Amino acid sequence: MSPLARIVATPQGIVFLVAVLFALVLGFLNPAFFTPSTLLDLARNGLVTGIFALSVMLVLASGGIDVSHTAIGAFAMYATMKIVLGIDMDLPIIAYFAVAAIIGAGLGLINGVLIGGLGLNTLIVTLGTLSFFRGALLTFLGTTYITSVPREVIDFSRTILIRIENGVGQMVSLPASFLVLVAITIALSIVMNFTMFGRKVYAIGGSEEAAQRIGIRIKRVKVLIYVIAGAIAGLAGMTHVTLSRMANPFDLVGMELNVIAAVVLGGARITGGHGTVLGTLLGVFVITMINTTLLMAGVPSYWQKFVIGCLIILGTGLPIVFDRLAKYRRRMARPLNA
Amino acid sequence: MNDEASGSTPILQMQDIRKAYGSVRVLEDVSLELGAGEVRCLAGENGSGKSTLIKVLSGVVRADAGQVRLHGRRLSSDPMAAIAAGLSVIYQDFSLFPNLSVWENIGFLRSVTCEDVFHRRGARRRLAVDTLRRMQVDIDPDTPVEMLPVASKQLVAIARALANQARIIVMDEPTTALTRSEVAHLLDIVETLKKDGVSFLFVSHKIEEVFAVCDTVTVLRDGSVVMEGPIGAFDAGRLVEAMTGRSVDSQRLPREQSPPQPPFLEVSGLGRRGEFVDVNLALRPGEIVSVVGLLGSGRTELAQTLFGYMKPDAGRIEIDGKPVAFGDQTSAIAHGIAYVPEDRLTEGLFLSQSIADNITVSSLGKSTSFGILGAAALLQRARAAVQNLRIKTPDVTPAVATLSGGNQQRVVLARWMEHDPKLLILNGPTVGVDVGSKRDIHELLVSLSRSGTSVMVVTDDIPEAIALSDRILVMVRGRITASFDAAAVDEDTLYNEVIREDRT
Ligand SMILES: Nc1ncnc2c1ncn2[C@@H]1O[C@H](COP(=O)(O)OP(=O)(O)OP(=O)(O)O)[C@@H](O)[C@H]1O
Ligand SMILES: [Mg+2]
């Protein structure tokens, strides 16, 4: 097989191809679609989903599932704004992100202690904390929009990496907060592939019992997984503020299924042990493209759900089909008398 | 064999280990010592507590009483501490990471003991490749373990233990899936490491291996040490008697010749590209036929094809003289065929479900009246099966995961026997089963066959084929190359036929 064919023959390759085909059809219907500005649009629209998705990928790779990430993001975002406005000091923008990450890590620690320390079921725990964090946010921190965000945030959100004009003369831009995604992508790639912590995550996802037997400190690793996932979710929340230039405590929660769908499309398995950073970004890209293009084409939003559902079934079913096909080919390649 | 070990101070001492699960006492005051360069066999029937003792040693299971000392120092119950003190274990269920590559599995233990922060790909991969080469096995180090057949998984598990420069290596039935030559390589490696002072605790139900490699023996029965001493003080009969409390014959089972009957299943010119070719075979009621061949000879694929698990490319299958084409297992089952798979852990059992459910799951129809399941009838059937196959358990309600390895194997057998099949195909039916029970299972199969069931056994255990079958077919590279009357063939003839590779 040629290298190209081999890439296409992976499940992610197929998902990607289907999505591209889909885009071609839409591009045919709407020529404005094939402009560089569309790519920028996609990058911007998929930014927060992408950051969340990386946090969820880490958890899925370890054999768990985290639905509380959006609540952590919303809590961290709103709490950070409250704190900064409260102490009323000029802080560099990086400090905002640091505070959000620390708050996210703290909430992640709660997940980590319940899951790693007490050994509770991950879905049950994070369903619980999803509603706990959100409830705590709305009850104790407030329900009002914060629209008067500090000027550092405004400045940052006005910092533009690229700006181009689209077909109808509007300016489309890529904000600097895209760098947050880039930084997390690089950092997480290094962690997953080049540190023992990352390998232990995959090991635990593959077989928890085997991991315990070769001396991996499962509890510690798990706590750390949820702390890191929480920190990333916090960064996603802060990124969201810089995009919308206000902090709405009702935002973010509700997109968790979309995020998990992107991660699964990207090759992570609910059963654990699989998932890559690049695959996850591909999944996010595909989901964002479908959502964006359907929106542009004026297709009702329930169609988006339908199309994404089809893609998930394709993306999870195809590995099995490919596996069979590969086995069949290998057998046929052998000589007749075995 | 080698007595240099007995004089020196032991490097491992286990003292008065006691362990109970609920009211079931699994280990009672077990003590055991191991000197430098000593290979000690831990022998015992299925469920006698061998694996549990090993898990206590490796810190995976905490003992209720007693202590483990390594190099004179007391070891806390923690896998990390045991590994750091130089202990490597090959677990009965392998304990590998299915999602990771072969080399990463082999190198992982070393990375954990070295407390690496970074993933040292180059070094770990080299370690794995070297270890595999030392074992003279040819496995692609980059394949994910989940893609490997059982035998290769077992080799990877062995490689992982060997790669770690351990001072004590514990092997819990390391050879169940291996061929003779692979076993021979393994035993060679054990001999070499032994000269460097590495000690071994070796569990196996294959008596020849025990005598080939061990210096000393500890025999467990029902969780207590019943006998202990240098291997020279034992012979095969005495060892088996110590384990089982009775003497067990290893001769061919006596049986009456059943009158020739028309075949239940007949196969002609059956072939599947790349796996087997031109297979002709007739399975008759009242006859046990063994198909003996090396791993990769196509024996498993042939058996699976007869069970409708795969489709043949050529040839025909007839049942009771009528041609059939199985779409899948369900239609094979409907024709009265049952298949006991070789890899019970992944193909056979629901480990977290109860023994009763596992036994009755695929024959629920039998206890159904007017579409309603009779729970009491199911339980009764499960209890009868447990008794019949002497499965060691207090009741039929505990999960299968709590059974010992050999007893799990019996649950798989029990399930398929519940079908009252017309043809029972068994792939490695006594893998991991102790000698005494192996005999019991053989007797059971002979009586099943005399009562009119066709039995086909796929195996690489030559003594088993001779003890059990009426007719033995040899499979080499996808072809049936020879057929023997089991009563008239000896082990060497058969073995030479099996390893004959270059006949086309
Ligand atoms: N987690 C558990 N809960 C309850 N009982 C258990 C558990 N683990 C093991 N046992 C019981 O302990 C006994 C000893 O099991 P063990 O696995 O040590 O046997 P074994 O000697 O290794 O047998 P085999 O040769 O079949 O592997 C068995 O009767 C088994 O049912
Ligand atoms: Mg055992």
Side-chain angles (χ1 to χ4, degrees):
Chain A
M1 260 197 282
S2 70
L4 184 70
R6 211 171 304 147
I7 293 169
V8 170
T10 62
Q12 286 79 4
I14 286 286
V15 168
F16 185 68
L17 267 191
V18 171
V20 167
L21 272 181
F22 187 79
L24 283 178
V25 172
L26 283 160
F28 184 71
L29 299 176
N30 174 9
F33 183 72
F34 281 111
T35 52
S37 60
T38 312
L39 209 59
L40 286 195
D41 247 356
L42 290 183
R44 194 191 158 98
N45 292 348
L47 189 49
V48 174
T49 314
I51 300 176
F52 274 133
L54 290 176
S55 125
V56 170
M57 188 277 287
L58 174 65
V59 174
L60 280 189
S62 76
I65 187 162
D66 179 3
V67 293
S68 71
H69 56 272
T70 51
I72 293 180
F75 191 108
M77 152 184 99
Y78 199 74
T80 305
M81 297 321 287
K82 277 262 176 187
I83 290 171
V84 173
L85 290 173
I87 58 177
D88 195 20
M89 237 168 47
D90 281 346
L91 290 172
I93 187 70
I94 187 104
Y96 289 75
F97 281 101
V99 171
I102 290 167
I103 293 172
L107 300 181
L109 184 64
I110 298 179
N111 279 338
V113 168
L114 291 173
I115 291 165
L118 301 182
L120 303 179
N121 177 292
T122 62
L123 178 62
I124 311 254
V125 165
T126 55
L127 269 175
T129 51
L130 167 71
S131 128
F132 174 75
F133 295 151
R134 184 168 158 82
L137 166 65
L138 298 177
T139 316
F140 302 116
L141 290 182
T143 50
T144 51
Y145 297 9
I146 299 177
T147 44
S148 58
V149 292
R151 73 172 304 96
E152 288 82 9
V153 175
I154 303 285
D155 285 348
F156 183 72
S157 70
R158 290 214 177 108
T159 317
I160 297 299
L161 297 176
I162 313 171
R163 182 198 297 272
I164 36 182
E165 200 172 318
N166 73 5
V168 289
Q170 290 167 326
M171 296 307 283
V172 182
S173 58
L174 189 63
S177 40
F178 189 71
L179 292 178
V180 178
L181 177 63
V182 173
I184 295 174
T185 300
I186 294 171
L188 197 63
S189 296
I190 292 173
V191 167
M192 297 311 276
N193 294 304
F194 298 102
T195 69
M196 279 318 291
F197 168 75
R199 303 322 291 171
K200 286 176 186 171
V201 172
Y202 287 115
I204 292 175
S207 167
E208 213 170 303
E209 184 153 359
Q212 189 210 346
R213 286 184 182 179
I214 67 163
I216 295 176
R217 310 263 187 220
I218 296 191
K219 290 185 180 179
R220 259 189 236 174
V221 176
K222 278 195 176 170
V223 170
L224 196 52
I225 288 172
Y226 288 92
V227 169
I228 295 178
I232 299 178
L235 291 175
M238 190 59 216
T239 306
H240 179 72
V241 177
T242 67
L243 287 180
S244 59
R245 293 178 201 174
M246 64 166 189
N248 174 357
F250 294 96
D251 270 359
L252 299 179
V253 174
M255 58 187 287
E256 51 280 336
L257 283 185
N258 210 31
V259 171
I260 293 172
V263 181
V264 170
L265 264 189
R269 299 192 198 155
I270 296 285
T271 45
H274 294 267
T276 59
V277 170
L278 286 182
T280 303
L281 292 184
L282 175 66
V284 172
F285 179 77
V286 168
I287 286 228
T288 311
M289 180 172 81
I290 287 169
N291 284 340
T292 308
T293 51
L294 288 176
L295 206 70
M296 280 169 70
V299 177
S301 67
Y302 39 80
W303 269 96
Q304 300 170 14
K305 297 233 177 332
F306 175 76
V307 173
I308 288 170
C310 291
L311 271 179
I312 287 181
I313 292 167
L314 265 183
T316 48
L318 278 174
I320 299 164
V321 175
F322 278 129
D323 212 45
R324 293 226 179 116
L325 213 65
K327 278 206 186 114
Y328 179 76
R329 282 223 197 98
R330 240 177 290 146
R331 187 165 72 80
M332 285 302 149
R334 266 184 269 163
L336 192 63
N337 62 342
Chain B
M1 283 196 133
N2 170 330
D3 272 349
E4 67 193 15
S6 42
S8 56
T9 49
I11 62 168
L12 167 72
Q13 293 165 290
M14 299 184 80
Q15 289 163 346
D16 301 322
I17 304 291
R18 207 180 290 178
K19 175 76 197 172
Y21 286 107
S23 63
V24 185
R25 287 198 245 157
V26 177
L27 294 173
E28 291 184 68
D29 300 323
V30 174
S31 299
L32 177 151
E33 288 188 351
L34 197 61
E38 179 181 345
V39 182
R40 181 175 287 268
C41 165
L42 186 59
E45 292 189 291
N46 294 136
S48 56
K50 304 180 297 293
S51 298
T52 310
L53 187 66
I54 289 170
K55 286 179 195 156
V56 168
L57 171 60
S58 66
V60 170
V61 164
R62 184 182 295 273
D64 300 336
Q67 53 174 316
V68 178
R69 287 175 174 278
L70 267 178
H71 306 292
R73 257 182 299 145
R74 186 165 179 175
L75 198 69
S76 61
S77 180
D78 169 24
M80 189 64 199
I83 293 167
L87 185 89
S88 265
V89 184
I90 301 164
Y91 288 96
Q92 195 170 5
D93 59 7
F94 310 155
S95 287
L96 295 170
F97 302 112
N99 54 331
L100 300 184
S101 68
V102 167
W103 70 260
E104 200 171 349
N105 265 285
I106 296 174
F108 219 116
L109 192 55
R110 175 76 75 85
S111 305
V112 173
T113 36
C114 295
E115 302 191 20
D116 283 355
V117 172
F118 291 103
H119 183 36
R120 302 173 54 193
R121 282 167 185 272
R124 297 295 169 247
R125 191 169 188 284
R126 239 173 292 128
L127 174 71
V129 171
D130 287 347
T131 312
L132 289 173
R133 192 173 311 134
R134 189 148 60 99
M135 291 169 60
Q136 304 186 32
V137 299
D138 181 27
I139 300 175
D140 176 9
D142 298 309
T143 340
V145 163
E146 60 196 344
M147 309 278 282
L148 297 177
V150 216
S152 307
K153 283 184 195 154
Q154 192 159 40
L155 289 167
V156 173
I158 295 172
R160 181 172 76 182
L162 295 181
N164 197 35
Q165 290 182 327
R167 301 307 298 163
I168 302 175
I169 299 181
V170 181
M171 303 180 156
D172 196 352
E173 301 193 41
T175 60
T176 45
L178 303 188
T179 61
R180 271 198 197 194
S181 65
E182 287 163 335
V183 173
H185 289 317
L186 177 65
L187 298 190
D188 281 348
I189 292 175
V190 169
E191 288 292 337
T192 323
L193 287 174
K194 200 177 128 162
K195 294 209 181 75
D196 301 338
V198 177
S199 319
F200 291 85
L201 194 59
F202 187 83
V203 178
S204 175
H205 292 298
K206 299 187 190 169
I207 301 290
E208 334 77 74
E209 283 172 14
V210 171
F211 279 95
V213 75
C214 297
D215 305 318
T216 48
V217 185
T218 297
V219 182
L220 283 182
R221 197 196 302 157
D222 293 327
S224 316
V225 177
V226 290
M227 206 176 279
E228 196 223 11
I231 190 88
F234 290 86
D235 60 31
R238 185 143 175 262
L239 182 59
V240 170
E241 204 173 321
M243 282 161 53
T244 59
R246 62 192 167 123
S247 72
V248 175
D249 244 335
S250 62
Q251 297 308 303
R252 197 175 128 75
L253 281 171
R255 68 196 69 190
E256 70 235 32
Q257 217 52 44
S258 58
Q261 295 186 41
F264 167 71
L265 180 140
E266 195 166 10
V267 155
S268 50
L270 199 70
R272 189 171 142 86
R273 204 185 155 86
E275 278 163 359
F276 53 85
V277 67
D278 198 21
V279 171
N280 300 300
L281 140 114
L283 302 172
R284 298 164 201 279
E287 191 187 38
I288 301 181
V289 176
S290 290
V291 175
V292 185
L294 297 179
L295 192 85
S297 62
R299 55 185 173 142
T300 296
E301 290 77 8
L302 174 63
Q304 290 181 338
T305 306
L306 295 184
F307 187 54
Y309 202 77
M310 308 173 172
K311 287 204 183 79
D313 305 330
R316 50 196 269 141
I317 304 177
E318 286 178 7
I319 286 184
D320 287 332
K322 284 184 223 78
V324 289
F326 299 138
D328 51 25
Q329 293 102 299
T330 329
S331 63
I333 293 172
H335 278 99
I337 302 177
Y339 176 68
V340 180
E342 75 182 322
D343 187 353
R344 60 171 180 266
L345 288 179
T346 58
E347 292 176 49
L349 289 171
F350 305 103
L351 284 177
S352 56
Q353 303 285 320
S354 75
I355 297 167
D357 288 349
N358 267 284
I359 291 177
T360 55
V361 63
S362 61
S363 53
L364 292 174
K366 266 171 69 181
S367 303
T368 312
S369 47
F370 307 110
I372 295 165
L373 276 177
L378 280 180
L379 270 187
Q380 202 160 24
R381 265 172 50 206
R383 289 215 177 92
V386 162
Q387 213 161 45
N388 222 338
L389 283 162
R390 299 200 209 161
I391 297 172
K392 191 170 181 250
T393 168
D395 193 17
V396 295
T397 43
V400 167
T402 68
L403 292 179
S404 78
N407 282 303
Q408 293 179 358
Q409 177 71 354
R410 294 178 207 201
V411 171
V412 181
L413 273 177
R415 175 192 304 167
W416 288 105
M417 288 191 176
E418 277 302 294
H419 273 271
D420 294 332
K422 295 210 187 86
L423 167 62
L424 180 61
I425 303 174
L426 305 107
N427 198 346
T430 58
V431 169
V433 172
D434 66 62
V435 266
S437 331
K438 197 162 169 173
R439 191 72 176 174
D440 295 342
I441 290 178
H442 288 170
E443 277 167 8
L444 205 74
L445 289 177
V446 168
S447 80
L448 197 70
S449 109
R450 296 309 113 155
S451 66
T453 310
S454 318
V455 178
M456 173 172 147
V457 177
V458 177
T459 182
D460 55 8
D461 181 344
I462 285 173
E464 167 166 279
I466 293 180
L468 173 66
S469 357
D470 298 299
R471 207 148 48 85
I472 301 176
L473 304 176
V474 177
M475 196 155 186
V476 179
R477 292 192 175 196
R479 282 173 195 273
I480 305 253
T481 54
S483 163
F484 295 100
D485 176 357
V489 70
D490 62 89
E491 287 187 24
D492 289 335
T493 320
L494 199 54
Y495 183 63
N496 286 331
E497 191 62 40
V498 167
I499 58 170
R500 188 141 143 192
E501 290 267 282
D502 39 20
R503 187 197 267 212
T504 11

